[in-house]
Amino acid sequence: MKRLLLLCLCLCLTGCSHTYLERQIYPICLSLDMLDDGRYQVGLQAPQSANGGATGYDVLSAAGETPMDALRVLAASIPYPLNFSQIRLCLISYELASNQPLLPLLRGLLELPTMRPNAYVMTAMDSALEVMTAQKPDLGMRLSTHLNLLFERLRREQTLPDSTLSTCVRELGDGRSDFLLCLCAVNARLQNDKPEQQPTQPGGDAGGASAAFAVGEPWSDALLPNDILAGMMPRTSINPVEYVGSAAVSNGRVCGVLTARETQLAVRVLNSAKLRTAVKGGLQLQVILPRSGELDGCEGEITALIRRLQAMGSDALTFGRIASMAFATDAAWQAYDFRALFPQAETAVR
């Protein structure tokens, strides 16, 4: 009898907990901006609770002296608790990312109890809140499904840098090298066009799919054309937000941007090339390309990419991590002062 009563009690408690879990808000995207008065603005994009039909999305925002203050204000103004386990995308405005250290901002997000560690961190060229508000799922999909499919395809085509929340915090905490954040922006031409004025693609849904993912064809390994950047792509779609190019990080802050083609080169070098450094007699950065690989014939472009990163002071190709292995102690590594030598280092791509 006691066991039966205990079982009934457990079932009742489980039912209450399940009901409570359903009554939570599950944001899909989060944005971080800095207002003109120096306060932080946090925004959330979450699905509406609707009975059937197409899923709508609400955008909520609040301001505070710190991002956590803004988040507390936001949480206090809504009827249900926030649960960040479904976050796909964390957007940080370029202005904020270039003027404030990224580590405390991103670590604060990662340490939220329910935060999804593999959410992507991206830099928004303008207001992160405006970019988040403007994004729309294509082809009638849910926003979470749209972002999952898009990011998976960009990873497969080596267009998307590895900039998940946990990866960014790890790299920022290590400090021996830098990394790239994916870049996103609103294409003002698409945002201003009315839907009925946009040219339709032949083939019904097939044409819509082509426009929705205008970031390179899946059957081609060719690099994207020169000068393609988020917010300026020659395409048509109901979704005006574009995720191409990258923002380079240097010393914990964003320091400049790379085009889509430069970003592809950087990701492919990190994935398939052998990187080495020579630290004696002057610093030399070495890139050894595989024979007959996808980077064959790109030696000149890769050299130009390294020079561009050197000019920005960004070691996004992780030469610093490789060079540090030649030193037995942290003190010896610090005394070498890789950061001071990196901008003038010689390069060898072969």
Side-chain angles (χ1 to χ4, degrees):
M1 178 63 87
K2 290 182 178 179
R3 292 183 178 179
L4 180 60
L5 289 174
L6 182 61
L7 178 60
C8 292
L9 179 61
C10 290
L11 290 174
C12 290
L13 291 175
T14 303
C16 294
S17 177
H18 181 66
T19 302
Y20 176 75
L21 287 175
E22 284 185 343
R23 294 178 179 176
Q24 297 188 42
I25 295 176
Y26 294 88
I28 303 300
C29 301
L30 180 148
S31 67
L32 272 176
D33 291 286
M34 178 163 280
L35 301 175
D36 294 337
D37 59 6
R39 293 185 301 161
Y40 291 88
Q41 183 183 56
V42 175
L44 297 174
Q45 188 175 32
Q48 299 170 348
S49 297
N51 296 323
T55 302
Y57 296 88
D58 286 329
V59 175
L60 314 170
S61 66
E65 295 300 322
T66 68
M68 291 303 108
D69 287 343
L71 201 53
R72 291 188 191 98
V73 172
L74 187 57
S77 65
I78 53 181
Y80 302 128
L82 291 167
N83 188 308
F84 299 102
S85 62
Q86 298 302 312
I87 287 281
R88 265 52 172 195
L89 179 60
C90 297
L91 292 171
I92 302 180
S93 69
Y94 189 93
E95 180 182 7
L96 175 58
S98 60
N99 289 290
Q100 298 294 323
L102 288 169
L103 182 57
L105 296 175
L106 299 183
R107 180 183 286 162
L109 296 180
L110 183 61
E111 291 176 350
L112 290 171
T114 56
M115 177 54 70
R116 187 186 183 101
N118 62 343
Y120 269 93
V121 180
M122 296 192 182
T123 303
M125 287 296 288
D126 297 312
S127 163
L129 181 63
E130 292 179 4
V131 172
M132 183 177 69
T133 304
Q135 67 180 354
K136 300 179 180 66
D138 290 290
L139 307 174
M141 292 185 288
R142 292 180 180 272
L143 182 59
S144 57
T145 304
H146 168 80
L147 294 177
N148 284 345
L149 293 174
L150 177 59
F151 296 161
E152 176 59 33
R153 182 181 178 200
L154 295 181
R155 281 197 303 269
R156 188 170 61 249
E157 296 181 4
Q158 303 186 77
T159 303
L160 184 67
D162 184 12
S163 59
T164 60
L165 185 56
S166 58
T167 299
C168 291
V169 172
R170 183 191 66 213
E171 294 296 329
L172 289 166
D174 180 68
R176 289 178 297 168
S177 57
D178 299 311
F179 57 95
L180 299 175
L181 291 173
C182 186
L183 199 65
C184 62
V186 174
N187 190 320
R189 181 178 57 82
L190 294 180
Q191 192 177 38
N192 294 332
D193 284 347
K194 295 181 180 179
E196 61 269 21
Q197 293 176 333
Q198 296 180 6
T200 57
Q201 300 288 340
D205 290 343
S210 175
F213 302 104
V215 290
E217 299 304 330
W219 57 80
S220 173
D221 289 332
L223 294 169
L224 285 168
N226 290 316
D227 302 325
I228 294 293
L229 197 63
M232 298 184 292
M233 296 181 68
R235 67 183 187 104
T236 61
S237 174
I238 64 169
N239 184 8
V241 179
E242 298 168 350
Y243 311 86
V244 290
S246 60
V249 174
S250 174
N251 288 310
R253 305 185 187 195
V254 166
C255 61
V257 300
L258 299 180
T259 66
R261 187 182 183 93
E262 290 171 331
T263 302
Q264 281 182 298
L265 277 174
V267 173
R268 293 183 181 191
V269 166
L270 288 169
N271 288 343
S272 60
K274 185 177 292 184
L275 302 175
R276 295 177 179 174
T277 59
V279 297
K280 294 182 179 180
L283 178 62
Q284 186 183 60
L285 313 176
Q286 303 173 356
V287 180
I288 303 173
L289 305 179
R291 294 182 183 275
S292 303
E294 59 188 0
L295 295 173
D296 193 28
C298 295
E299 293 86 351
E301 284 192 84
I302 294 173
T303 300
L305 170 64
I306 296 174
R307 291 299 185 194
R308 180 163 169 75
L309 289 171
Q310 286 178 298
M312 292 189 288
S314 174
D315 181 26
L317 295 182
T318 70
F319 289 109
R321 184 184 302 131
I322 298 166
S324 68
M325 297 178 186
F327 298 86
T329 64
D330 287 339
W333 165 245
Q334 296 296 333
Y336 183 70
D337 201 0
F338 175 86
R339 290 284 179 180
L341 298 174
F342 173 73
Q344 291 80 35
E346 294 182 2
T347 61
V349 182
R350 62 181 186 272

